[in-house]
Amino acid sequence: MVANGGRLADRQICVKLFVRHGDEDRAIAFYREALGAELLQRHEWPSGILTSADLRIGESVFRIAGANPRRDAEPKLGGPRSPHALGTTAVILELHVRDVDRVIGRAIGAGASLRNAAETLSTGDRVGAFIDPFGHIWALFNAMEDADVVDLSIEARNAA
C-alpha cells in the first residue's frame, strides 16, 4: 500500500531497479508506456538532477535509480550495479496481467526484447517474458482462475 504523497507505508518492501546512470528518465517513460506504470514521485538533488523515481503498477510500488557509474565500472566496489554492467540480472520481476499477449506486444513496441513468447500452459494459464531495455526480465502471467490481476490496457488507464 502507498501512503500520502507516494511515500511507502510501514513494513513494505520497495524494490529498486537500477539502470545505467543517465537512463532514469528513459526507464520511467518505458515503464509508463509499456506497463502503464503511474509515476508517484521524482527524487531530485537541489540542483534538479534526478536520482530516483517511485512508480506504481496496481498495488505494487517500485523505484527506478541510476547506478553509480564507478560501481558499474569497478565490480570490486560492490553493488548495486545495473544489469548492463553485470551482463545479466539476478531477479525476475513477475507481473500478473489480464492480457499477456497485449502487454508483451506493447513492451516490444516500446523497446523491450522478447525472452519467451507467450504460451498457454496445460492449466490454461498464459505466460510469457520480455527483457526491458535496461536489462530487467519481466515474466507475465494470466492465471485463468485469478480474477485479481492488473489490467494494463489503455482503456483501463483512460477510464481511471
Side-chain angles (χ1 to χ4, degrees):
M1 299 293 172
V2 177
N4 293 335
R7 302 198 69 201
L8 295 175
D10 288 340
R11 301 179 57 85
Q12 181 177 0
I13 294 173
C14 177
V15 173
K16 190 179 286 189
L17 303 181
F18 282 89
V19 299
R20 284 186 286 216
H21 178 70
D23 278 350
E24 298 91 343
D25 279 317
R26 282 187 51 234
I28 293 166
F30 173 84
Y31 298 125
R32 292 182 79 189
E33 179 181 344
L35 300 176
E38 174 188 359
L39 176 61
L40 298 176
Q41 185 173 9
R42 291 173 59 94
H43 305 279
E44 299 176 348
W45 291 107
S47 63
I49 295 172
L50 177 65
T51 59
S52 63
D54 298 336
L55 295 105
R56 177 175 46 211
I57 298 173
E59 294 297 317
S60 299
V61 175
F62 63 103
R63 183 169 285 174
I64 300 300
N68 181 315
R70 284 190 55 225
R71 292 189 186 282
D72 260 5
E74 300 178 42
K76 68 181 181 194
L77 294 177
R81 298 174 69 207
S82 70
H84 286 110
L86 292 170
T88 189
T89 184
V91 300
I92 293 178
L93 301 157
E94 185 175 299
L95 182 61
H96 295 256
V97 299
R98 292 201 187 283
D99 188 335
V100 169
D101 298 273
R102 185 182 338 187
V103 175
I104 286 178
R106 242 187 12 239
I108 300 297
S113 59
L114 186 63
R115 182 172 188 262
N116 300 93
E119 64 178 311
T120 302
L121 303 178
S122 60
T123 59
D125 300 343
R126 193 93 175 125
V127 299
F130 65 86
I131 302 172
D132 71 30
F134 315 98
H136 300 286
I137 299 171
W138 292 80
L140 305 180
F141 293 84
N142 179 351
M144 300 312 284
E145 295 181 16
D146 185 4
D148 213 16
V149 296
V150 178
D151 188 348
L152 297 176
S153 68
I154 300 296
E155 297 81 19
R157 283 192 311 199
N158 290 338

